[in-house]
Amino acid sequence: MGVDAAVAELPELAAGRRRPSQPFGIYVHVPFCAVRCGYCDFNTYTPAELGGANPDGWLSALRTELRLAAAHLGEPPDVQTVFVGGGTPSLLGAAGLTAVLDAIREDFTLAPGAEVTTESNPESTSPRFFDGLRRAGYTRVSLGMQSTAPHVLAALDRVHSPGRALDAAREAREAGFDHVNLDLIYGTPGETDDDLVRSASSAVEAGVDHVSAYALIVEDGTALARRVRRGEMPAPDDDVLARRYELLDRRLADAGFDWYEVSNWSRPGGQCRHNIGYWDGGEWWGAGPGAHGYVDSVRWWNVKHPNAYAAASDKGELPVADFEALDEPTAHIEDVMLRVRLRTGLPAAALSAPERRRAERAVADGLLRTDGDALVLTDRGRLLADAVVRDLLG
């Protein structure tokens, strides 16, 4: 397998923010998975695809990138949030994830009360694993649940048993985690309305304070896309997806969860602060193979393959594949696209005069509502969020 190589030198970055009130975060990408799920197009690698790369080499390269990152920032701001994603971070075990957090602390300062999250696959967790995370300083766990229906998990090529994610959530709570998220996927071929409602009810009953739910998307190049193309499985139906979203929203609302972003619900105080930073104009350093970062209106992305990532580290170079400096019009487009998805809404003052006129039409059409000086998606508007954004931007 060929690997990409570092091709770009990241420009000098300022530690100052486009929005000074927003927090600074660090995202760490763990590229390892035991198996590849049929719907996944993330930058992940199974043992057969790694070409000699291994977690120890990845961790060494990560330490180098974080050291270079701190130097590149000059005066790194305190880190308000950390998110370790993947891939399957829990394959590192509690000791490996402790080492990741220790590596961050070597060159950055975690702010008091920092939110520290790791994603985990239920099959690679245990009570001892969660105890180790708590001792290391993790404050939040996000577990891939997808569904409690065996035939849905089979269609998604998920390897965990239907009840394992729920047991893992309870184990995390018993270990002292106040903030536990379960991820759901809805609209899988073969799923019924009742399957989704039962999955949502099970998540609620597991005592979590956060649920993320995403419509199944058939991504090009995935095993799922090949099955759909061969006619072995139907593509997700838009009308079905809309109905499932409404069912899910109603079930979670009945249990005391409020939506705070189109695909995320939480109990009071359970919002993911790191992800809010993405949607609300915050800045973050993305570390690890294929990770994206954004500081001082510059977005960059790292080389993807772990071997290329390690090669850049061996040379003492930031593993940047390429970058773009966002001009004001592009930054505005992204601002509208992301902030309109939040329940806090998009400030009307952030829009141009033509955009405000289009927003007034969206209000008249029942897609947006006004909340003080903000424009907020209605229930119907959430189902058509992408179309609302297109209309606003003209």
Side-chain angles (χ1 to χ4, degrees):
M1 174 182 293
V3 298
D4 48 4
V7 296
E9 183 174 344
L10 194 63
E12 292 300 317
L13 302 173
R17 317 266 196 282
R18 188 177 61 181
R19 290 198 183 95
S21 63
Q22 294 301 318
F24 177 82
I26 291 179
Y27 171 77
V28 174
H29 188 73
V30 181
F32 309 111
C33 277
V35 297
R36 183 179 297 281
C37 298
Y39 61 91
C40 179
D41 72 337
F42 294 165
N43 187 46
T44 63
Y45 302 85
T46 64
E49 299 169 331
L50 284 171
N54 60 71
D56 288 342
W58 166 84
L59 182 59
S60 176
L62 177 71
R63 289 194 181 99
T64 298
E65 182 183 1
L66 291 169
R67 175 173 49 80
L68 294 172
H72 201 81
L73 286 168
E75 296 182 11
D78 287 355
V79 177
Q80 302 285 341
T81 65
V82 173
F83 197 105
V84 184
T88 309
S90 49
L91 287 178
L92 300 177
L97 286 169
T98 298
V100 169
L101 197 50
D102 287 345
I104 293 172
R105 289 186 176 118
E106 286 176 11
D107 294 290
F108 291 85
T109 299
L110 293 187
E115 176 192 86
V116 183
T117 304
T118 184
E119 293 180 336
S120 297
N121 186 311
E123 286 296 321
S124 51
T125 65
S126 66
R128 184 176 179 182
F129 169 82
F130 292 120
D131 286 339
L133 294 186
R134 285 294 293 151
R135 288 195 299 271
Y138 285 84
T139 66
R140 188 174 180 276
V141 174
S142 182
L143 296 158
M145 173 180 170
Q146 281 65 56
S147 176
T148 56
H151 58 281
V152 174
L153 293 175
L156 295 172
D157 296 324
R158 293 292 295 185
V159 298
H160 65 265
S161 60
R164 176 57 204 152
L166 303 173
D167 290 340
R170 295 185 187 100
E171 291 166 2
R173 295 280 292 158
E174 290 168 1
F177 281 95
D178 293 327
H179 303 303
V180 180
N181 173 64
L182 285 170
D183 277 345
L184 297 175
I185 290 178
Y186 59 92
T188 302
E191 178 193 63
T192 66
D193 289 353
D194 286 344
D195 289 333
L196 178 61
V197 172
R198 279 194 292 268
S199 295
S201 296
S202 296
V204 168
E205 291 160 7
V208 301
D209 69 337
H210 192 289
V211 172
S212 300
Y214 305 99
L216 180 66
I217 297 175
V218 180
E219 300 284 4
D220 290 342
T222 63
L224 177 63
R226 291 189 289 273
R227 294 175 70 183
V228 170
R229 189 168 57 249
R230 292 194 297 262
E232 299 171 6
M233 183 178 287
D237 180 271
D238 288 343
D239 291 337
V240 171
L241 293 176
R243 185 174 72 248
R244 297 272 161 77
Y245 182 91
E246 291 174 328
L247 287 170
L248 180 67
D249 184 56
R250 190 176 310 126
R251 177 65 187 92
L252 292 174
D254 288 345
F257 287 73
D258 287 327
W259 75 278
Y260 70 95
E261 191 273 341
V262 169
S263 298
N264 290 272
W265 293 257
S266 75
R267 297 188 187 276
Q271 298 93 333
C272 178
R273 289 159 46 196
H274 185 86
N275 285 343
I276 288 175
Y278 293 153
W279 300 313
D280 201 25
E283 296 184 331
W284 70 95
W285 191 281
H292 288 225
Y294 178 73
V295 175
D296 196 30
S297 298
V298 175
R299 179 193 293 112
W300 70 92
W301 46 97
N302 284 347
V303 295
K304 287 188 172 182
H305 198 280
N307 284 337
Y309 180 72
S313 170
D314 290 343
K315 297 176 184 176
E317 299 174 345
L318 284 171
V320 174
D322 208 347
F323 69 90
E324 59 179 336
L326 272 62
D327 59 19
E328 198 168 309
T330 303
H332 173 72
I333 289 170
E334 295 202 354
D335 200 33
V336 172
M337 289 174 59
L338 295 172
R339 297 184 78 188
V340 80
R341 296 179 62 87
L342 292 168
R343 186 161 192 158
T344 51
L346 174 69
L351 299 178
S352 67
E355 288 167 346
R356 284 196 292 274
R357 288 193 291 272
R358 290 192 284 267
E360 289 170 1
R361 290 200 296 269
V363 170
D365 291 339
L367 299 173
L368 289 172
R369 62 179 176 84
T370 56
D371 184 0
D373 64 350
L375 296 161
V376 181
L377 290 169
T378 62
D379 290 347
R380 179 166 167 261
R382 280 190 280 158
L383 297 174
L384 300 168
D386 292 343
V388 172
V389 168
R390 288 194 298 270
D391 289 345
L392 284 176
L393 294 171

